[in-house]
Amino acid sequence: MSRFSTSAWRGRIPVGAVAVLAAGVLGVAGPGVAAAEAAAAGGCPGRLAKSVKFATGELRVYKNRQYACAVTVATKPGPRRTMTVTLQPRGGRAVVDSGRFTRQAGPVSVHALNRCVRATGAVAGRAGSTGWILC
């Protein structure tokens, strides 16, 4: 028998391992993985609570039990340009991430258990705002 013979491997690889390997190679994922990947892409945990589109980008606000989180995402990632994201809880100080970025500004988060928040995002001079939300 050859050292590379398939009969030498028969019965040694569990069927479950083959399914996991096939899923990894084919890119098959279970339910909930897409939601986790979407949250990871924005960098904020929780559910999407509000989205505001403007000419050059989009402001996204996420909420989980205790925190609110915001990120500004450019419509067309590319060269560095001025981007800003601001998140402020009612009665508290605003948290700001501002600079020259290629894809997104943020994430920024604030403690927002039983508090309203407002968010503002800007990309290359164009801006969007939420007003007071999550009240």
Side-chain angles (χ1 to χ4, degrees):
M1 174 164 58
S2 167
R3 94 178 223 213
F4 297 108
S5 171
T6 57
S7 63
W9 290 97
R10 192 166 303 163
R12 294 186 184 181
I13 300 175
V15 175
V18 172
V20 169
L21 288 172
V25 170
L26 297 175
V28 177
V33 173
E37 288 175 357
C44 286
R47 64 175 175 80
L48 182 64
K50 181 80 173 181
S51 176
V52 177
K53 292 186 184 221
F54 49 95
T56 55
E58 182 178 11
L59 170 65
R60 299 176 188 159
V61 180
Y62 295 84
K63 174 82 166 109
N64 65 17
R65 177 152 164 59
Q66 294 184 348
Y67 291 90
C69 179
V71 63
T72 299
V73 181
T75 302
K76 295 180 182 175
R80 291 189 179 275
R81 59 199 154 208
T82 305
M83 293 187 202
T84 304
V85 63
T86 304
L87 184 62
Q88 178 182 11
R90 184 166 286 189
R93 288 182 178 241
V95 178
V96 179
D97 183 22
S98 182
R100 294 182 55 80
F101 305 110
T102 59
R103 183 178 309 175
Q104 73 179 38
V108 294
S109 63
V110 296
H111 190 267
L113 184 62
N114 300 322
R115 292 168 79 176
C116 302
V117 297
R118 67 179 171 189
T120 304
V123 176
R126 302 290 179 110
S129 182
T130 62
W132 291 108
I133 58 172
L134 308 177
C135 296

